[in-house]
Amino acid sequence: MSAERMLKTELRKAALARRDALDPFWRVEASLEMAETGKAAIDFDPGTIVSGFWPMRSEVDVRPLMFALREKGARLCLPAILDRQTMVFRELVRGAPLVDMGFGTAGPGEEADVLDPSVMLVPLAAFDSRGHRIGYGAGYYDRAIARLQAKGMTPRLIGIAFDCQEVPVVPNEWHDVIIPELLTQSGMRQFL
């Protein structure tokens, strides 16, 4: 394992431990506050496809934000992992059944339409002041974003995290995707 990977592993572990230590009731309140901030800060045309995610463990609960964006006219989708390399985004339709997606998450089943998001709410384990992120280590988002870019798309990427997940510096690796915007309980931050 490279020195960069080893450092990322340590930074991820420490940031997730800080996030896990947050009071669960405080996390709920912070998630609701972030939904209000995000609703005001994220502009798009009606019908724009926005990907969110079903929260796992101590992640920010973006469901209130997703539903606020739906009220503004967004079409929502959630990630679905198809195999060890591929993640797609399936449309989240009101009233449609959700299925177990693994990792304690849920999402639309195979019958849901696969969509290409123009706005992506991106989960992360850690981030730095340059917009570099550390994911959970499997690279699903990096590959999904690269697939969209290969189609000629440039989705708006908005990282979602709590302030305590910030680290001094994320080591650079060639495949890393930089997140230009980040929403935390302190507000929306712009990096680029």
Side-chain angles (χ1 to χ4, degrees):
M1 183 181 287
S2 70
E4 290 84 7
R5 286 256 166 121
M6 287 173 42
L7 180 53
K8 277 187 173 181
T9 298
E10 290 304 312
L11 291 170
R12 177 185 301 114
K13 184 177 177 182
L16 291 178
R18 289 190 302 273
R19 189 184 77 188
D20 290 344
L22 295 173
D23 178 78
F25 296 109
W26 181 89
R27 286 198 307 259
V28 169
E29 290 299 319
S31 295
L32 292 171
E33 190 174 309
M34 290 167 68
E36 291 299 317
T37 302
K39 180 179 180 180
I42 302 171
D43 290 322
F44 52 85
D45 294 326
T48 295
I49 299 169
V50 176
S51 70
F53 54 92
W54 197 271
M56 60 182 194
R57 298 187 293 271
S58 60
E59 281 182 330
V60 173
D61 187 347
V62 295
R63 292 173 294 187
L65 174 57
M66 290 168 46
F67 300 136
L69 297 179
R70 175 185 279 161
E71 290 175 4
K72 286 178 63 171
R75 286 177 71 191
L76 299 177
C77 56
L78 291 173
I81 296 173
L82 302 183
D83 56 44
R84 293 181 62 89
Q85 294 293 312
T86 311
M87 182 173 77
V88 297
F89 297 91
R90 294 180 180 157
E91 187 166 18
L92 178 62
V93 177
R94 191 181 306 265
L98 298 178
V99 299
D100 180 10
M101 301 300 282
F103 306 104
T105 67
E110 293 179 8
E111 70 285 350
D113 290 340
V114 173
L115 304 177
D116 290 332
S118 298
V119 177
M120 298 176 72
L121 306 178
V122 181
L124 50 89
F127 66 94
D128 68 18
S129 63
R130 304 172 301 152
H132 291 246
R133 71 181 273 275
I134 298 175
Y136 293 105
Y140 286 111
Y141 271 88
D142 290 336
R143 287 189 299 277
I145 293 165
R147 180 181 55 80
L148 293 169
Q149 290 171 336
K151 290 181 169 187
M153 297 180 68
T154 50
R156 180 179 178 186
L157 307 176
I158 303 169
I160 305 291
F162 293 113
D163 288 333
C164 69
Q165 293 171 250
E166 186 167 2
V167 298
V169 176
V170 171
N172 298 344
E173 291 189 274
W174 68 270
H175 57 80
D176 290 340
V177 174
I178 297 171
I179 303 294
E181 299 174 90
L182 181 81
L183 178 63
T184 72
Q185 77 271 16
S186 295
M188 184 75 85
R189 293 171 63 177
Q190 310 282 328
F191 296 111
L192 298 176

